[in-house]
Amino acid sequence: MDRTKLKKLGLNLPLLPTTTVGSFPKPPNLMRLRADFAKGKITAEALKKEEENATAFWMETQESLGIDVVVDGEQYRGDMVAYFAEKMGGFEIGDLVRSYGNRYYHKPIIVGEIEWPGPMTVDWWKFASKLTARPVKGMLTGPYTMMDWAFNEFYPDRHSACLALAREIRKEVVALLEAGAKIVQVDEPAISVRVEELPWVIEAMHLVTDGLPAYFLTHICYGAFEYVYPKVLEMPVDNIDLDMSLTASRRLPLMQANPFSKDISYGVVDVHSHEVEDAATVRDRLRRALEVLEPEQIWVDPDCGLKTRSVDEAIEKMRVVVEATREFRSELVRNARPV
Amino acid sequence: MRLITTSSGSYPRIGATPELHLLRQTITQRDSGKKTDADVAAAEDALTRAAIAEQISSGLDLVTDGQIRWYDPISHLAGKLENVSVNGLLRFFDTNFYLRQPVVHGPVVWARPVLRPEYEMASKASAKPVKPVLTGAYTLARHSIIEYPPYQKEFARLVLDYNEAIVKEVSELAAAGATVIQIDEPSILKEPSHADWDLLEETWNKLSAAKGKARLVLATYFGDATPVLHHLLSMPADVVALDFTYNPRLVDQVADSKPAKPLGFGLLDGRNTKLDDPAAVLSALDRMLPKIRASECYLNPSSGLEYLPRDRALAKLKHLAGIRNRIN
């Protein structure tokens, strides 16, 4: 809510910083090469080269759009759980299960002791950081979501699986910080699945973040937020990233009743619709946000990762986020709101 | 006591082989203009036949169509009713599966049979009886965004209007020859203390009046049934199907209550790949079966199986049939 921590970390961000949640769509050429790689037609080196090309494309795109805090775009990941499960010890990758509609993912199976294999995202963070002067977020999936979105055939219960994951994910955070990352996002979209387990989510996040010198965010989306609020404010992070574009009418009254005590990354565009919102719609959403939240605590972004959109849709959605935020920022300054 | 093996509803609509990717690919191609809705319908038929074939090969007595055509358990039905549109994503209970949330703008009115053509197709494709599975009115209402003021004032009215649509569906299915029809009401267990049992009973009285000769199953899952077991068993349903994976005490509670109607035993976890310990399942059945005053019951996974990879779903069903074979 104040900028002290950001400033201590050397981060001087504008009012209403813009960012994105993490993933971008993979360009068609990369999709083709991923399929070729799966069929054994190309080498891992050839695939990696194209992943680097795609990452460079998205870094340049974010730069040209003027996103304030950027991401590497996760061009090298299949999905947010399987990517880590494929690398960490103790997992086996299961066959496809449905996420929603016509979307599927490989759901991992915990079959042994979870082990950090060494840095999993650090080289990509470094690759992306070399291409920009803007802060690049380190992007990880949180222990509770990793546990909940995997089958467990090894640990005696969900709690012990969750804490085992937290201890290993902390090692990846430390590796990112050693590489120079100052902002790390640890996503917990599964946070609201079992309200009675919310204390474990918080306990696990303490294991991940306690005592580490970084600005931490967590992304939460498409869940029963009303069941975890305001307890979720006990998460040991600085910023909670929420899908708000379609849910503000239900969530803002909750935040009015129990003030939102952290920074918020406020989702203003729907990532599951092909339609690109116009700037007026986004400005209206921000205006509603400011009826309840302070401008200093708001970051602005899409509701979720943009990987389910086409490349053009993703760019246009980001463009409207940036343009509407800039206009709104100017409006705030003109109206001499406390900034 | 005869133990009938059955599925609980959904079945994976994708798998490891290229032919099992047909539906996913066809929908993607339809969305980019390369295929038509008719192509998608043909792919749905193909995957429905595959789901039925795997259930039969596993040794099930009573199969489902796998709900292959369903976008999700809520919008497939609610989205086809008048004055209901479909909105953004919402997580379905404590799964990592997401549904499209219905938005109710006006009075909910049934427009046309949704499940009857799906049931008729599946029946023709199956050598075993097919059990149609619907989502109940209470669960549909609980997952809806209500923008119509009369429903905002009186939630029960929305439940009853949704139920009118479900009654029509049940009537159509019974007329088409369905002998067992399952109505899923998982929302009862989400906040059991908030359940309006008089309202639920009213919906089930209406469903019962429309069922003809079919047997109606009330299915609950994704929650602990122990606090509301006596309510569930007293509902005017022919069969009550229970999820035994949330509270181990449910087994003895069921045995102690000496049910007078057939039960569906959701003793195999439909949400975990691990194959359930057969000794534990058999022990639970040994404790309950002698106490149930009915000539037959059902053994089924605790929930639909589309939360599992296809190979594990198939293994789960074979495991289920194997356990049943050690009893019958």
Side-chain angles (χ1 to χ4, degrees):
Chain A
M1 192 144 179
D2 66 53
R3 297 293 179 98
T4 314
K5 186 171 192 181
L6 288 167
K7 282 180 183 156
K8 264 190 195 166
L9 291 165
L11 297 164
N12 190 19
L13 299 176
L15 183 68
L16 307 175
T18 52
T19 189
T20 63
V21 176
S23 66
F24 292 133
K26 295 178 179 68
N29 198 42
L30 176 54
M31 292 299 286
R32 270 194 298 278
L33 291 189
R34 282 172 66 88
D36 286 348
F37 179 70
K39 291 173 192 160
K41 291 182 181 173
I42 62 164
T43 63
E45 290 72 29
L47 177 63
K48 188 175 180 199
K49 183 72 195 157
E50 194 55 31
E51 289 167 347
E52 288 176 349
N53 290 341
T55 303
F57 166 77
W58 284 115
M59 294 307 295
E60 192 182 323
T61 301
Q62 292 174 91
E63 191 89 26
S64 67
L65 288 169
I67 301 276
D68 297 308
V69 177
V70 298
V71 294
D72 69 21
E74 300 173 15
Q75 300 299 289
Y76 51 92
R77 299 188 195 181
D79 77 71
M80 61 186 290
V81 170
Y83 175 75
F84 294 100
E86 282 167 1
K87 294 185 176 302
M88 295 176 92
F91 281 102
E92 184 181 295
I93 299 303
D95 210 341
L96 290 167
V97 295
R98 191 152 69 126
S99 171
Y100 71 93
N102 202 34
R103 290 272 167 185
Y104 303 83
Y105 68 105
H106 286 280
K107 187 165 178 175
I109 305 168
I110 301 173
V111 294
E113 192 85 41
I114 302 292
E115 281 180 67
W116 183 65
M120 298 177 279
T121 61
V122 173
D123 283 349
W124 283 107
W125 183 87
K126 286 181 182 169
F127 179 83
S129 294
K130 279 185 189 157
L131 301 173
T132 183
R134 295 166 193 259
V136 180
K137 289 195 275 191
M139 302 297 299
L140 304 175
T141 303
Y144 185 80
T145 298
M146 287 287 296
M147 176 276 295
D148 189 64
W149 292 7
F151 301 110
N152 174 22
E153 297 189 359
F154 179 76
Y155 289 96
D157 52 46
R158 291 164 59 84
H159 186 216
S160 52
C162 180
L163 297 188
L165 278 156
R167 284 187 280 270
E168 300 307 297
I169 290 167
R170 180 183 176 91
K171 295 173 185 170
E172 183 69 13
V173 174
V174 169
L176 278 166
L177 301 191
E178 284 171 357
K182 293 175 177 172
I183 304 178
V184 178
Q185 183 171 311
V186 184
D187 293 341
E188 286 291 15
I191 192 168
S192 62
V193 298
R194 298 190 185 188
V195 182
E196 69 278 13
E197 294 178 352
L198 182 56
W200 307 354
V201 192
I202 296 167
E203 180 186 5
M205 191 63 88
H206 274 290
L207 287 178
V208 173
T209 66
D210 275 2
L212 296 178
Y215 181 89
F216 285 103
L217 302 92
T218 187
H219 169 66
I220 299 170
C221 60
Y222 307 114
F225 183 73
E226 62 274 23
Y227 292 115
V228 296
Y229 194 81
K231 176 83 176 169
V232 69
L233 295 171
E234 293 175 22
M235 289 279 278
V237 296
D238 303 287
N239 183 318
I240 300 180
D241 183 342
L242 297 170
D243 59 308
M244 293 295 288
S245 74
L246 301 177
T247 59
S249 60
R250 302 198 300 279
R251 292 180 181 175
L252 285 174
L254 299 176
M255 295 175 187
Q256 201 148 29
N258 287 287
F260 199 89
S261 56
K262 295 184 181 294
D263 291 349
I264 180 171
S265 293
Y266 194 96
V268 289
V269 291
D270 179 11
V271 302
H272 296 116
S273 159
H274 295 293
E275 189 185 332
V276 178
E277 292 86 343
D278 57 28
T281 301
V282 174
R283 282 199 307 274
D284 282 348
R285 288 173 179 167
L286 284 172
R287 200 164 281 121
R288 288 183 70 191
L290 276 194
E291 289 168 9
V292 176
L293 301 158
E294 294 299 323
E296 293 85 351
Q297 69 185 130
I298 301 175
W299 295 32
V300 190
D301 65 357
D303 274 347
C304 192
L306 284 161
K307 73 174 183 181
T308 60
R309 297 300 94 214
S310 69
V311 169
D312 289 344
E313 286 168 355
I315 292 172
E316 292 312 309
K317 293 224 174 222
M318 278 192 280
R319 190 191 309 283
V320 75
V321 167
V322 173
E323 288 181 359
T325 302
R326 279 184 178 157
E327 289 165 22
F328 197 71
R329 204 181 273 156
S330 306
E331 196 180 307
L332 275 181
V333 173
R334 272 201 310 277
N335 293 341
R337 289 288 305 264
V339 295
Chain B
M1 168 76 73
R2 180 174 175 240
L3 206 50
I4 300 164
T5 50
T6 185
S7 286
S8 296
S10 64
Y11 196 75
R13 51 189 225 163
I14 198 164
T17 61
E19 57 271 24
L20 293 173
H21 280 248
L22 176 68
L23 180 56
R24 174 161 89 157
Q25 286 168 348
T26 308
I27 290 173
T28 302
Q29 289 167 336
R30 188 267 315 273
D31 291 349
S32 62
K34 293 176 190 155
K35 296 270 185 180
T36 65
D37 287 346
D39 295 324
V40 171
E44 288 170 341
D45 285 351
L47 268 293
T48 299
R49 282 192 287 271
I52 290 170
E54 289 187 15
Q55 291 172 77
I56 292 174
S57 75
S58 305
L60 295 195
D61 305 310
L62 180 63
V63 302
T64 71
D65 68 357
Q67 299 183 322
I68 299 299
R69 292 162 218 279
W70 292 45
Y71 191 97
D72 61 62
I74 304 296
S75 68
H76 185 72
L77 286 163
K80 295 178 180 70
L81 303 174
E82 287 182 8
N83 297 314
V84 180
S85 62
V86 173
N87 197 45
L89 295 175
L90 179 72
R91 189 187 307 281
F92 190 53
F93 293 91
D94 59 349
T95 70
N96 48 338
F97 176 83
Y98 298 79
L99 57 91
R100 292 275 177 194
Q101 212 174 357
V103 185
V104 181
H105 307 282
V108 169
V109 179
W110 183 77
R112 60 185 165 81
V114 176
L115 293 193
R116 181 170 181 164
E118 298 172 9
Y119 167 75
E120 288 174 337
M121 180 269 149
S123 287
K124 279 182 197 156
S126 177
K128 295 278 188 182
V130 174
K131 172 179 67 172
V133 178
L134 302 82
T135 306
Y138 183 70
T139 298
L140 293 179
R142 280 278 173 223
H143 285 83
S144 296
I145 296 170
I146 306 170
E147 293 189 349
Y148 181 52
Y151 292 150
Q152 288 172 336
K153 282 183 200 146
E154 195 184 355
F155 178 73
R157 193 168 154 190
L158 173 60
V159 175
L160 292 172
D161 284 355
Y162 266 136
N163 196 56
E164 285 306 308
I166 302 301
V167 163
K168 295 265 187 7
E169 292 291 325
V170 165
S171 174
E172 290 280 340
L173 288 164
T179 54
V180 180
I181 301 171
Q182 180 176 311
I183 313 283
D184 289 359
E185 286 286 18
S187 283
I188 291 175
L189 302 186
K190 176 81 176 172
E191 290 176 288
S193 58
H194 293 177
D196 180 340
W197 293 100
D198 291 338
L199 174 65
L200 284 162
E201 189 171 338
E202 185 178 346
T203 64
W204 275 82
N205 282 330
K206 289 180 178 173
L207 292 165
S208 295
K211 69 174 186 166
K213 292 177 183 169
R215 177 181 270 194
L216 277 190
V217 182
L218 164 60
T220 58
Y221 44 85
F222 295 162
D224 178 7
T226 57
V228 292
L229 179 65
H230 65 291
H231 283 300
L232 292 172
L233 294 177
S234 64
M235 292 292 285
D238 301 304
V239 181
V240 175
L242 299 167
D243 179 344
F244 287 81
T245 65
Y246 277 76
N247 189 339
R249 290 197 300 274
L250 183 59
V251 171
D252 291 324
Q253 193 184 355
V254 166
D256 291 344
S257 60
K258 299 182 176 61
K261 61 177 68 172
L263 295 190
F265 298 113
L267 284 161
L268 283 82
D269 190 345
R271 307 245 322 260
N272 201 356
T273 50
K274 191 172 185 177
L275 290 181
D276 314 78
D277 176 6
V281 176
L282 287 166
S283 164
L285 289 169
D286 281 346
R287 274 139 67 200
M288 291 188 287
L289 287 178
K291 304 289 179 65
I292 295 170
R293 291 169 285 154
S295 58
E296 57 188 23
C297 280
Y298 298 81
L299 182 62
N300 45 268
S302 59
S303 66
L305 288 176
E306 82 162 328
Y307 311 103
L308 299 182
R310 192 180 197 98
D311 57 341
R312 303 301 183 112
L314 181 59
K316 189 73 75 164
L317 289 183
K318 287 180 175 171
H319 191 54
L320 183 145
I323 291 172
R324 188 277 310 272
N325 291 340
R326 291 165 66 171
I327 289 185
N328 278 353

